[in-house]
Amino acid sequence: MNPSAYNGRFAPSPTGPLHFGSLVCALASFLDARHHQGQWLVRIEDSDPPREIPGATTIILKQLESHGLHWDGDLLYQSQRSDAYEAALAQLHLDGLSYSCDCNRQRVSELGGIYDNRCRQRQVGSDSAIRLKLPEHNSEAIIAFDDLIMGDYRQNLSTEVGDFVIQRRDRLFSYQLAVTVDDQFQNISHIIRGADLLDSTPRQLYLQRCLGASVKQISAMQYAHLPLAINSQGQKLSKQNHAPALMPGEESSNLWLALQWLQQAPPNELRREDHATILSWAVSNWSLAQIPNSAEIPAPETT
């Protein structure tokens, strides 16, 4: 792939079928890529086996295809990328940017979730979690970017996060490490995803820097964080909150409702068309600027 081209991606975890909230993210990223004549890639983030549901990957891919959301190139599976993550960890260790940590979740929770860097003087071992060292000076730990939906966002990693885990005690790679390595590998230029990941973005931008990305490369990356679709109880639509799976045979209605939720103003008559017609209209009329910069929006009652 051309590193300077538009490369977007949708990266589901195989913890269950797609629901309305995940369809919104898939559709928005797909439409933005197609509107800009870019590539749309699908990455299966299957790096946490205890959370995965057997057969979920097959279901997710069939759901994408049945909605006309066809991806470019080969699928990327995080479960097949262990060597790349190990190489990234080795590089960070060589650069003196990582250390072992024996602190458990209860201790970190008692700190308010902001790690106090207690184990910083430890060397990397084989029986502990591994954390990434943040800059000594707070000013160097401030990461800012202009989100295409949410606007200016900044975070002081030292005071708001603390040194964060890049490999868990059970030897599984952290989400932050795996997604950063994969975004570099796939030359991802545009990331459109839910607002629940907004506060993860500064960590990923900082990791990009630690793993050798240039300032120019990092500044060229575009982020757009979508409002969260919530249910009638005010909860984010998620598998944990028992969001219903997308129903087979309802693809046209699902797409129309998702476009309406994304404030794209689809014509009422479009709802009766097939998915190819709906997507053709949506690509031509796509406007990221129409999406409100609110944290959450109620999902349609039918979902």
Side-chain angles (χ1 to χ4, degrees), residues 77-189:
Y77 292 85
Q78 286 190 336
S79 58
Q80 299 172 6
R81 299 270 297 149
S82 294
D83 288 350
Y85 308 144
E86 288 288 3
L89 284 172
Q91 178 186 330
L92 293 170
H93 175 54
L94 221 103
D95 293 340
L97 294 174
S98 61
Y99 62 91
S100 289
C101 175
D102 288 327
C103 298
N104 56 31
R105 289 185 181 179
Q106 181 181 344
R107 181 177 183 277
V108 177
S109 177
E110 289 168 355
L111 293 168
I114 301 169
Y115 188 59
D116 60 358
N117 309 337
R118 174 181 178 178
C119 295
R120 257 199 182 192
Q121 303 311 314
R122 290 196 55 191
Q123 296 298 310
V124 171
S126 60
D127 58 347
S128 308
I130 298 177
R131 290 184 182 270
L132 183 74
K133 287 182 184 177
L134 294 174
E136 297 286 349
H137 303 290
N138 276 348
S139 60
E140 296 175 12
I142 298 173
I143 305 295
F145 66 98
D146 186 26
D147 190 86
L148 297 174
I149 295 174
M150 298 298 175
D152 180 67
Y153 185 83
R154 58 191 57 237
Q155 185 182 73
N156 187 320
L157 291 175
S158 291
T159 60
E160 298 179 57
V161 179
D163 294 351
F164 56 91
V165 172
I166 50 177
Q167 186 175 40
R168 295 172 8 185
R169 189 182 301 235
D170 59 8
R171 314 320 297 157
L172 293 177
F173 304 100
S174 77
Y175 164 76
Q176 307 295 353
L177 180 80
V179 74
T180 301
V181 171
D182 289 341
D183 284 341
Q184 278 192 351
F185 175 72
Q186 294 185 293
N187 295 317
I188 299 299
S189 63

Side-chain angles (χ1 to χ4, degrees), residues 4-293:
S4 64
Y6 184 117
N7 292 314
R9 47 81 158 174
F10 176 58
S13 298
T15 54
L18 298 182
H19 49 73
F20 181 79
S22 41
L23 174 64
V24 163
C25 289
L27 181 61
S29 61
F30 174 87
L31 293 177
D32 202 61
R34 292 293 182 256
H35 185 75
H36 292 95
Q37 294 84 49
Q39 298 277 304
W40 188 66
L41 310 176
V42 170
R43 175 195 309 158
I44 303 298
E45 297 196 336
D46 54 349
S47 59
D48 193 352
R51 293 181 60 243
E52 292 159 21
I53 303 297
T57 294
T58 300
I59 294 171
I60 288 169
L61 296 177
K62 285 182 177 178
Q63 287 176 307
L64 290 175
E65 290 180 324
S66 71
H67 285 82
L69 303 179
H70 302 294
W71 55 90
D72 298 303
D74 295 329
L75 295 164
L76 190 74
Y77 292 85
Q78 286 190 336
S79 58
Q80 299 172 6
R81 299 270 297 149
S82 294
D83 288 350
Y85 308 144
E86 288 288 3
L89 284 172
Q91 178 186 330
L92 293 170
H93 175 54
L94 221 103
D95 293 340
L97 294 174
S98 61
Y99 62 91
S100 289
C101 175
D102 288 327
C103 298
N104 56 31
R105 289 185 181 179
Q106 181 181 344
R107 181 177 183 277
V108 177
S109 177
E110 289 168 355
L111 293 168
I114 301 169
Y115 188 59
D116 60 358
N117 309 337
R118 174 181 178 178
C119 295
R120 257 199 182 192
Q121 303 311 314
R122 290 196 55 191
Q123 296 298 310
V124 171
S126 60
D127 58 347
S128 308
I130 298 177
R131 290 184 182 270
L132 183 74
K133 287 182 184 177
L134 294 174
E136 297 286 349
H137 303 290
N138 276 348
S139 60
E140 296 175 12
I142 298 173
I143 305 295
F145 66 98
D146 186 26
D147 190 86
L148 297 174
I149 295 174
M150 298 298 175
D152 180 67
Y153 185 83
R154 58 191 57 237
Q155 185 182 73
N156 187 320
L157 291 175
S158 291
T159 60
E160 298 179 57
V161 179
D163 294 351
F164 56 91
V165 172
I166 50 177
Q167 186 175 40
R168 295 172 8 185
R169 189 182 301 235
D170 59 8
R171 314 320 297 157
L172 293 177
F173 304 100
S174 77
Y175 164 76
Q176 307 295 353
L177 180 80
V179 74
T180 301
V181 171
D182 289 341
D183 284 341
Q184 278 192 351
F185 175 72
Q186 294 185 293
N187 295 317
I188 299 299
S189 63
H190 290 69
I191 296 174
I192 298 178
R193 58 188 179 186
D196 53 335
L197 292 169
L198 181 61
D199 68 350
S200 284
T201 302
R203 275 171 275 183
Q204 292 163 23
L205 287 169
Y206 182 70
L207 258 173
Q208 291 273 9
R209 187 195 308 172
C210 293
L211 292 172
S214 69
V215 173
K216 183 179 180 181
Q217 288 172 317
I218 294 171
S219 61
M221 291 188 72
Q222 299 289 305
Y223 289 85
H225 286 86
L226 303 164
L228 299 179
I230 58 172
N231 61 22
S232 57
Q233 286 79 48
Q235 302 168 316
K236 170 196 168 186
L237 289 188
S238 67
K239 291 136 190 172
Q240 291 83 0
N241 292 327
H242 310 293
L246 299 171
M247 292 295 294
E250 298 292 327
E251 286 81 5
S252 291
S253 180
N254 292 338
L255 290 170
W256 190 91
L257 287 169
L259 288 169
Q260 186 184 57
W261 188 90
L262 289 163
Q263 307 293 308
Q264 301 301 300
N268 286 330
E269 59 270 21
L270 197 65
R271 190 170 186 170
R272 297 187 294 272
E273 300 291 346
D274 60 23
H275 64 67
T277 303
I278 294 172
L279 290 175
S280 178
W281 179 92
V283 170
S284 298
N285 292 275
W286 176 246
S287 174
L288 201 62
Q290 294 295 109
I291 302 173
N293 65 346

